[in-house]
Amino acid sequence: MSSKNYEQLLVKFKEILKNQNLKYTAQREMILKTLYKNKKHFTPEELQDNIKHNYPKLNIGIATVYRTLNILEKFKIVTSISFGQSGKKYELAIKPHHDHLICDMCGSIIEFEDKDIEKKQDEIATKYGFLITSHILQLHGICKKCRNKLKEKKIGIK
Amino acid sequence: MSSKNYEQLLVKFKEILKNQNLKYTAQREMILKTLYKNKKHFTPEELQDNIKHNYPKLNIGIATVYRTLNILEKFKIVTSISFGQSGKKYELAIKPHHDHLICDMCGSIIEFEDKDIEKKQDEIATKYGFLITSHILQLHGICKKCRNKLKEKKIGIK
DNA sequence: TTGCCTGCAAATCCTTTGCATACTG
DNA sequence: CAGTATGCAAAGGATTTGCAGGCAA
C-alpha cells in the first residue's frame, strides 16, 4: 500500500537526519511528501510553487528547497537530471535506476530501463580502468504526441 | 591531410554564415580554428583564454565566444556536453558520434563509442513511438589515474 | 552604405550564502 | 537552552542582452 511506503521513506529520512544532527522540520517533510505524491520530475521552483499552493499556511523559501534537495541528493533519496539550459530536475530515487527519453518539443519525460545497456557500460568502464559511480543516458527527440501534432499540421486538417 | 580537412570545415562554416546572412569575422574563425586544432572539450572561458594567449592582438570578448558557440551548435558544427554545475563544454562535431566517460575527481573526459548501445537505443525509441534526434550518454566515476592516486594515499607512501 | 558584429558593462537566470530570528530536540 | 533551520535579501557564477562604435559585404 502506498501510504505504507511513504511511512517507510519518512522513517528513513528521519533516521538520516538524526544521524547527521539535522532537524526534522515541516518544510523538509513537505518537500519529501510532494516528491512522493507526484512521482515526477520537479525543478526547485516547481516544487516550491506546488507546496505553496497545497499548503498555503506553510511559508517556504526557495533557499530551503535548494538546501533540502541538496541533502536529499547527498543521501540518495532523490536524483537529479539536468539538460539544456533549463537547470536541474529532481525526482525520488525510490524507483529502480532508469534512463530518460526527453521530448525537446513539449519537454515531457518518459522513463525506461535496459539491462543490456547497463551491462555494456560496465564492459566499457572495465576496458578503461574506470570506476563508474553513476551514469546519465538521455535520448532526445520528439515524442509520439508531438509527432502526431506535426503530422496533422502537415496534412492540414481544416 | 588535416589542413585540407580544416579548409573543408571552414568552407562549410562560411556557407552557413552566408545562408544565414551572418558575417565571417576574425573572431569567429579563431574560435573554429582553436576548436579544430586542439580537438578537445573547451568551456567558453577556456576557449577565450586560449585565443587570447595565441592571438594576443585579437581582442575577443566572452560574449562573442558565447554567441559564436551558440551559432556553431545550432548548425551542428559543435556539440556540447554539460555536467554538474560547472557549465557546458564544447567540441567540434566532426568526429563520429561518441559518448563520454567523465572523471568526477579530475574532470578528465574519455571518449568512446559503442554500436550495440546505439542499436539498443533505437529499439527503445521505436517501442515508445519516439523519434530520436540526439542522445547523451555519460558514465561518471573515477578514472584510472585518480584511482591510483587514491590507492597510494591509502597505502601511505612516505 | 547597410546592417550585422564586437567589446564592454549591465542584466538575467539559477543557486548559494549571510544574517537575524524561529524552532527542534 | 544549544544548535539548527528558516526566510529574506544579497552574493555568486554562468550566460545573455543592450548599446555605441567598428567592420564585412
Side-chain angles (χ1 to χ4, degrees):
Chain A
M1 197 215 280
S2 75
S3 66
K4 179 142 175 258
N5 285 334
Y6 178 64
E7 289 311 318
Q8 293 173 344
L9 184 64
L10 192 54
V11 166
K12 182 179 171 189
F13 185 39
K14 286 185 183 175
E15 257 172 33
I16 290 171
L17 292 176
K18 188 179 292 177
N19 289 335
Q20 302 297 317
N21 272 324
L22 301 174
K23 303 199 168 175
Y24 177 64
T25 67
Q27 286 85 345
R28 286 178 176 169
E29 183 183 345
M30 286 314 136
I31 289 169
L32 187 70
K33 183 181 274 181
T34 301
L35 286 167
Y36 181 81
K37 287 204 310 196
N38 293 282
K39 293 194 172 34
K40 67 176 197 105
H41 298 80
F42 281 98
T43 63
E45 207 186 331
E46 287 165 353
L47 248 184
Q48 186 193 28
D49 290 347
N50 188 304
I51 292 171
K52 280 196 167 177
H53 183 256
N54 290 311
Y55 312 93
K57 286 178 206 152
L58 183 72
N59 195 8
I60 186 166
I62 193 68
T64 296
V65 176
Y66 276 102
R67 283 186 281 232
T68 300
L69 287 172
N70 285 342
I71 295 170
L72 290 169
E73 186 167 30
K74 183 171 170 191
F75 293 101
K76 316 260 192 217
I77 295 182
V78 306
T79 56
S80 66
I81 58 175
S82 61
F83 42 102
Q85 305 298 58
S86 35
K88 277 176 152 182
K89 287 194 174 188
Y90 293 84
E91 66 172 337
L92 269 190
I94 52 176
K95 297 183 253 189
H97 176 79
H98 56 267
D99 297 302
H100 299 98
L101 283 154
I102 297 168
C103 177
D104 293 327
M105 281 191 68
C106 68
S108 67
I109 299 172
I110 300 169
E111 298 172 350
F112 69 90
E113 78 175 292
D114 189 290
K115 294 295 175 203
D116 291 345
I117 290 181
E118 314 249 322
K119 199 188 293 173
K120 264 286 174 186
Q121 291 176 358
D122 290 338
E123 290 172 25
I124 291 161
T126 302
K127 179 171 154 193
Y128 290 100
F130 197 96
L131 178 69
I132 294 184
T133 53
S134 66
H135 75 258
I136 296 168
L137 174 55
Q138 298 176 6
L139 306 183
H140 285 258
I142 306 174
C143 71
K144 205 170 186 172
K145 258 188 210 165
C146 288
R147 290 175 75 185
N148 285 335
K149 274 184 211 153
L150 288 177
K151 269 183 214 160
E152 283 173 21
K153 269 192 200 153
K154 278 183 194 153
I155 296 173
I157 296 166
K158 331 170 206 0
Chain B
M1 198 215 280
S2 76
S3 67
K4 177 141 177 261
N5 286 333
Y6 178 63
E7 289 310 317
Q8 293 172 344
L9 185 63
L10 192 55
V11 166
K12 181 178 171 188
F13 185 38
K14 286 185 184 174
E15 256 172 33
I16 289 171
L17 291 176
K18 188 179 293 179
N19 289 335
Q20 303 298 317
N21 273 323
L22 300 175
K23 303 201 166 170
Y24 177 64
T25 66
Q27 286 86 345
R28 286 178 177 169
E29 183 182 347
M30 286 314 135
I31 289 169
L32 187 71
K33 184 180 275 181
T34 301
L35 286 167
Y36 181 81
K37 287 204 310 196
N38 292 282
K39 293 195 171 35
K40 66 177 197 104
H41 298 81
F42 281 97
T43 62
E45 207 185 332
E46 287 165 354
L47 249 184
Q48 187 194 25
D49 290 348
N50 189 305
I51 292 170
K52 280 195 167 179
H53 182 255
N54 290 311
Y55 312 93
K57 286 179 208 152
L58 183 72
N59 194 9
I60 186 166
I62 192 69
T64 296
V65 176
Y66 277 102
R67 284 186 280 232
T68 301
L69 287 172
N70 286 341
I71 294 171
L72 290 169
E73 186 168 29
K74 183 171 170 192
F75 293 101
K76 315 260 192 218
I77 295 182
V78 306
T79 55
S80 67
I81 58 175
S82 60
F83 40 105
Q85 305 297 61
S86 34
K88 279 174 151 184
K89 288 194 173 187
Y90 293 83
E91 67 172 336
L92 269 190
I94 52 176
K95 296 184 256 189
H97 177 79
H98 55 267
D99 298 303
H100 299 98
L101 282 154
I102 297 169
C103 177
D104 292 327
M105 282 190 68
C106 68
S108 68
I109 299 172
I110 300 169
E111 299 172 351
F112 69 90
E113 79 174 291
D114 189 289
K115 294 295 175 205
D116 291 346
I117 290 180
E118 313 250 322
K119 200 189 294 172
K120 264 285 174 186
Q121 290 176 359
D122 289 339
E123 291 173 25
I124 290 161
T126 302
K127 179 171 154 193
Y128 291 99
F130 197 95
L131 178 70
I132 294 183
T133 52
S134 66
H135 76 260
I136 297 168
L137 174 55
Q138 299 176 6
L139 306 183
H140 284 258
I142 306 175
C143 72
K144 205 171 186 173
K145 259 188 210 165
C146 289
R147 290 175 75 186
N148 286 335
K149 274 185 212 152
L150 287 177
K151 269 184 211 158
E152 282 172 21
K153 269 191 200 155
K154 277 181 193 153
I155 296 172
I157 296 164
K158 328 169 210 3

